[in-house]
Amino acid sequence: MKIDEVTETDYMDSGAACPGCAGELALRLVLKELGEKTVLTTTPSCVGATCSVNISRINTAFPATAATSVGMSAGLKALGKTDVTVMAIAGDGGTADIGLQGLSGAAERGDDILYVCYDNEAYMNTGIQRSSATPPGTWTTTTPVGKERPKGKERPRKDMLKVMMAHDLPYAATASVSYPTDFLDKVKEAKDRTGTRYIHVYAPCPTGWKFPPERSIEIGKKAVTSGACILAEWDEGKFSLTGQSKRLAEDGKELTPMKEYLGPQGRFKHLDDEAIKEIAQTARENLEEYRKLAQAYS
Amino acid sequence: MMSKEVFVSGNTAVATGVSLVEPGVIAAYPITPQSPAVEKISEFIADGEMKSEYIEVESEYSAMSACIGAEAVGARAFTATSSQGLALMHEMLHFASGQRLPIVMAVANRTLAPPWGILNDERDTIAQRDTGWLQFYVESAQEALDTIVQAYRLSEQEDILTPTMVCYDGYIISHAYEKVVVPDKDEVQSFIPEYEPDEILNVEDPKTLGYAPSGYNTEYRVKQQLGTETAKGAIGDITEDYADQFGRDYVGMVEEYGPENPDVTLVTLGSVTGTVRDVVDKLNDQGREVGLVKLRTLRPFPYEQLADILKGTGAVGVLEKDISFGYEGAVFSEVRSALQGTNNVPSMNFIAGLGGRDITMENIENVYEKLFTMAETGESEGRIEFVGYRFSDGKGII
Ligand SMILES: Cc1ncc(C[n+]2csc(CCOP(=O)(O)OP(=O)(O)O)c2C)c(N)n1
Ligand code: SF4
Ligand SMILES: [Mg+2]
């Protein structure tokens, strides 16, 4: 897909998200691709609380995103309405933490839903608390930087793409709002399948990451080009890297220095060069691991 | 097809009731003692006797969430659970009633852990009293089946739109075999109108569910309250219509049993009602005028009827299988509040059957003896008695 093929039609009504919010943009883009024959589940999160859409939507309870969508899908089937896409959108907290059980259950059963997780790497709606998707080295309000804990969050983040791949679902991918055509190509792939489809889209958050709102797209790009976030796709048992991540891992393209990605973000300002080097090293290792996975599942 | 008689367990009766309604979506998770009910529903579907989408969810939380999703797009939904499963659903119980989704759920009452136990008491559903659901407590497998059918018509009534729990005591009803009359499916279908809700998620007419206009929470809640209040009249009408069409009359929200104007009256609910009926018969045969009031619904709470029934009696006992720690049995509190404004009839709370402890006829005869003493003296010797308390430290009466 080319960017000028993206429809002008907008299904977002109004929004109260912060300026530069990439989570809001993620939903805006997905809906453009899915179109009006969609019913949507949202949940407590920045997107659930701030976005208003002009397609049918239920704002369910925080752990209930997947199961509510599953019920909608079954209900539509029972009523013979088979041409409607049931889509869910939740944050990283709503997905990797409190909603994981319901999502796992749906994916294992193969329930017919398209689930989008927009990942801003913390609980933003409640004031920047860590989630299991928060990367190591991050300051959040529940992983504050202190004498005893100079790095902020310590443990690695949960890799939701791998978690979902372990369910052997028809389609799963990571994407970034900073690469909208790659993202929408994936939404398009996911739309036409049956079963549980999962898209994990990285969505920088100026408020929680502490950078100026006009830099969201640029920071999102650096997340990918530094190797901190990886674009990949699982398609009926085949795994591949896509877009910039493919170029970095397979075509030998240079990684952006990690400092260029982390530096502008206030949530990393406590990190010294040594800590940044460590993060860069982990990113290289992750990228290499993904490259090998792509080889193994080609 | 005609109605037929079968000899089945309460769980099978519940499953059969659901098969007659044939909701679009069933989402359930197994738990003792409800499991055989959902197994039976799965069998009906596998055998083609029932056409419903069955979601084998991974938890009760998801079961209720999926029912919510199904009803939100306009499909009928059903689930069943017990005890820990019901507790796990708690958040979504509020969601279902708040969103005005007329889900029907059967609950095989079971005690809550710890101490772990699979046997019956009613602490599980009584703890969910304030979730905005209508609650029926049934006495038999037959009543469970019939109440499930009635519940769909009740919940879906446009001016009610409130979900219903049909509570049937674990083991005592769920696993006991009874002769049950299974009504004709077409007749059941004609008893419950087509489900055509206005406020659903569809692609033709986009809308958002889950919010009220900001600042209108109170008005939203008033509507909810009015819906549940409206259910009072509707329960009477629906049970009457049901009696006309199917020949079984559950009277409404409360049933009186025994002589008119009894000297003392015991209020109870659920399966123990059957045992109390026998005691009432026995004592009345001995010339002692004792009465029984069966509470069929806890929500809506029939306080006007109760006040009317109980105002002339000499003493009131409430026998229930739950306790609200720090106070008393929840049903007792409700009954006493209904008695406000009537004359000062002495009342006492009898808590029994916790964790499946048998409630014997002798237990109930003792309760009636106590009520007679209270009627004579005009006062009770304690507020709460834990029936059959085993220690000899005298702490069974508080
Ligand atoms: C059961 C429950 N626990 C906690 C909350 C409070 N809560 C609302 S949104 C949220 C965090 C959302 O984080 P995430 O899913 O990452 O979305 P984000 O706000 O970051 O976009 C929390 C903890 C809730 N609504 N429900
Ligand atoms: S806090 Fe972040 S995710 Fe939430 S609305 Fe603001 S920018 Fe968007
Ligand atoms: Mg988040």
Side-chain angles (χ1 to χ4, degrees):
Chain A
M1 165 179 299
K2 298 211 174 70
I3 197 70
D4 53 12
E5 288 166 27
V6 179
T7 175
E8 295 271 315
T9 314
D10 201 347
Y11 298 95
M12 299 287 269
D13 224 14
S14 63
C18 315
C21 176
E24 186 200 48
L25 179 58
L27 178 57
R28 189 182 295 274
L29 289 171
V30 182
L31 290 181
K32 280 178 185 288
E33 185 54 44
L34 295 185
E36 63 196 17
K37 290 217 154 178
T38 304
V39 289
L40 175 67
T41 307
T42 58
T43 196
S45 62
C46 278
V47 161
T50 65
C51 293
S52 170
V53 294
N54 45 33
I55 59 162
S56 274
R57 157 203 179 193
I58 186 166
N59 195 50
T60 192
F62 198 26
T65 314
T68 306
S69 313
V70 164
M72 281 156 61
S73 169
L76 289 167
K77 197 166 163 204
L79 297 168
K81 300 182 180 178
T82 49
D83 59 344
V84 181
T85 303
V86 177
M87 178 209 157
I89 188 161
D92 48 293
T95 302
D97 293 335
I98 204 165
L100 184 58
Q101 175 180 313
L103 174 59
S104 173
E108 183 276 325
R109 292 185 299 270
D111 295 330
D112 196 18
I113 60 168
L114 168 54
Y115 188 108
V116 176
C117 167
Y118 70 98
D119 184 0
N120 51 25
E121 302 184 340
Y123 302 158
M124 295 310 177
N125 193 231
T126 39
I128 327 175
Q129 297 89 11
R130 66 92 92 182
S131 79
S132 60
T134 305
T138 308
W139 165 92
T140 68
T141 54
T142 51
T143 53
V145 176
K147 254 203 315 251
E148 294 292 324
R149 205 177 183 183
K151 278 191 187 159
K153 194 195 174 210
E154 280 161 17
R155 292 276 300 152
R157 67 175 163 199
K158 195 180 286 181
D159 186 333
M160 275 305 297
L161 182 60
K162 283 198 209 144
V163 170
M164 295 314 290
M165 279 159 56
H167 291 77
D168 203 10
L169 33 60
Y171 189 82
T174 50
S176 162
V177 290
S178 297
Y179 297 98
T181 53
D182 175 82
F183 176 29
L184 290 182
D185 280 341
K186 288 167 177 169
V187 176
K188 199 180 166 117
E189 280 298 330
K191 183 188 177 188
D192 298 333
R193 309 294 174 89
T194 12
T196 305
R197 292 130 306 147
Y198 178 80
I199 295 182
H200 191 100
V201 57
Y202 294 107
C205 160
T207 307
W209 296 12
K210 309 222 171 290
F211 64 80
E214 66 276 14
R215 296 186 71 176
S216 283
I217 300 302
E218 176 207 339
I219 300 246
K221 281 188 177 168
K222 292 208 162 119
V224 174
T225 56
S226 66
C229 296
I230 304 173
L231 307 180
E233 182 177 54
W234 167 270
D235 187 345
E236 308 280 359
K238 281 191 176 171
F239 183 68
S240 50
L241 292 161
T242 68
Q244 285 297 329
S245 298
K246 191 178 175 71
R247 274 165 226 135
L248 295 165
E250 293 171 8
D251 309 341
K253 193 171 181 267
E254 279 283 302
L255 290 172
T256 304
M258 191 54 79
K259 205 169 181 166
E260 279 185 35
Y261 169 53
L262 303 182
Q265 302 181 50
R267 63 174 175 157
F268 295 120
K269 73 167 192 280
H270 57 286
L271 298 178
D272 58 18
D273 284 351
E274 195 51 39
I276 291 174
K277 238 167 86 186
E278 227 176 86
I279 291 172
Q281 179 57 22
T282 310
R284 269 193 298 275
E285 284 164 14
N286 289 344
L287 200 57
E288 177 58 12
E289 192 196 333
Y290 264 61
R291 192 187 63 77
K292 284 187 186 148
L293 261 182
Q295 252 175 2
Y297 288 95
S298 62
Chain B
M1 243 182 72
M2 299 253 294
S3 71
K4 58 175 185 204
E5 265 183 25
V6 292
F7 185 65
V8 295
S9 70
N11 276 327
T12 297
V14 164
T16 306
V18 176
S19 76
L20 300 173
V21 175
E22 206 170 45
V25 175
I26 318 270
Y29 190 80
I31 180 168
T32 303
Q34 154 267 34
S35 304
V38 296
E39 288 166 5
K40 197 76 200 168
I41 291 173
S42 311
E43 249 173 73
F44 286 148
I45 293 173
D47 293 342
E49 283 175 44
M50 185 181 167
K51 289 188 179 40
S52 303
E53 295 295 320
Y54 190 107
I55 314 170
E56 313 105 51
V57 281
E58 79 301 326
S59 72
E60 290 86 353
Y61 188 95
S62 286
M64 187 45 62
S65 304
C67 286
I68 287 165
E71 294 261 357
V73 297
R76 265 194 186 118
F78 174 83
T79 186
T81 190
S82 291
S83 179
Q84 314 293 129
L86 183 66
L88 186 60
M89 281 180 187
H90 180 76
E91 181 181 24
M92 300 319 280
L93 296 182
H94 285 278
F95 204 101
S97 62
Q99 195 53 56
R100 311 298 297 274
L101 301 172
I103 299 163
V104 173
M105 165 162 64
V107 183
N109 289 100
R110 160 181 161 180
T111 193
L112 282 159
W116 277 103
I118 54 170
L119 300 181
N120 168 244
D121 62 38
E122 286 158 1
R123 290 179 52 231
D124 53 355
T125 48
I126 289 177
Q128 305 297 344
R129 191 182 44 157
D130 296 339
T131 53
W133 284 58
L134 308 178
Q135 284 196 339
F136 284 78
Y137 290 81
V138 304
E139 189 182 343
S140 65
Q142 181 74 59
E143 191 182 355
L145 183 156
D146 293 328
T147 306
I148 282 170
V149 174
Q150 294 173 15
Y152 276 96
R153 178 149 143 196
L154 176 69
S155 285
E156 291 171 4
Q157 196 172 301
E158 222 175 337
D159 51 0
I160 297 175
L161 287 179
T162 300
T164 299
M165 261 179 232
V166 178
C167 311
Y168 63 116
D169 285 321
Y171 288 103
I172 303 166
I173 295 177
S174 71
H175 283 62
Y177 276 65
E178 274 180 45
K179 190 180 79 184
V180 171
V181 180
V182 179
D184 176 68
K185 186 166 181 174
D186 291 338
E187 273 199 56
V188 166
Q189 290 291 331
S190 77
F191 185 78
I192 44 172
E194 284 280 306
Y195 180 42
E196 286 167 340
D198 290 338
E199 292 294 310
I200 59 162
L201 301 176
N202 59 22
V203 294
E204 294 81 25
D205 177 20
K207 55 178 71 65
T208 292
L209 303 185
Y211 293 103
S214 120
Y216 283 84
N217 193 290
T218 301
E219 291 66 25
Y220 199 89
R221 296 306 176 202
V222 168
K223 285 197 159 193
Q224 230 179 313
Q225 168 71 358
L226 291 176
T228 45
E229 290 274 353
T230 304
K232 285 186 183 172
I235 291 167
D237 296 343
I238 289 170
T239 37
E240 212 174 297
D241 282 1
Y242 197 86
D244 288 346
Q245 196 171 334
F246 299 100
R248 285 179 298 284
D249 190 355
Y250 297 101
V251 188
M253 294 187 287
V254 267
E255 183 199 332
E256 289 174 80
Y257 188 77
E260 260 181 56
N261 306 320
D263 292 338
V264 297
T265 305
L266 185 60
V267 180
T268 195
L269 67 173
S271 63
V272 74
T273 312
T275 320
V276 181
R277 282 182 205 272
D278 286 346
V279 175
V280 168
D281 290 346
K282 184 177 162 189
L283 294 179
N284 283 305
D285 283 350
Q286 294 168 3
R288 312 195 71 185
E289 302 254 307
V290 303
L292 156 68
V293 170
K294 168 183 166 182
L295 254 183
R296 192 163 167 249
T297 61
L298 195 55
R299 286 292 180 273
F301 190 68
Y303 68 94
E304 301 99 327
Q305 275 168 278
L306 278 176
D308 194 47
I309 293 168
L310 297 175
K311 67 175 186 283
T313 200
V316 174
V318 175
L319 177 68
E320 62 188 300
K321 300 174 178 176
D322 74 287
I323 165 101
S324 174
F325 298 109
Y327 196 25
E328 58 196 12
V331 184
F332 183 54
S333 304
E334 312 256 25
V335 172
R336 281 199 311 139
S337 82
L339 289 175
Q340 285 292 320
T342 60
N343 54 356
N344 256 345
V345 49
S347 59
M348 191 163 168
N349 193 190
F350 299 93
I351 292 177
L354 297 182
R357 173 83 56 93
D358 274 345
I359 306 175
T360 63
M361 286 183 72
E362 196 189 341
N363 290 150
I364 296 165
E365 282 172 44
N366 289 339
V367 164
Y368 275 116
E369 285 314 324
K370 202 153 251 173
L371 293 180
F372 274 116
T373 315
M374 285 159 55
E376 264 165 44
T377 60
E379 54 194 73
S380 50
E381 50 171 286
R383 196 159 54 96
I384 310 168
E385 175 173 338
F386 288 84
V387 174
Y389 181 68
R390 286 193 172 147
F391 296 144
S392 52
D393 54 8
K395 295 198 167 135
I397 296 182
I398 297 170

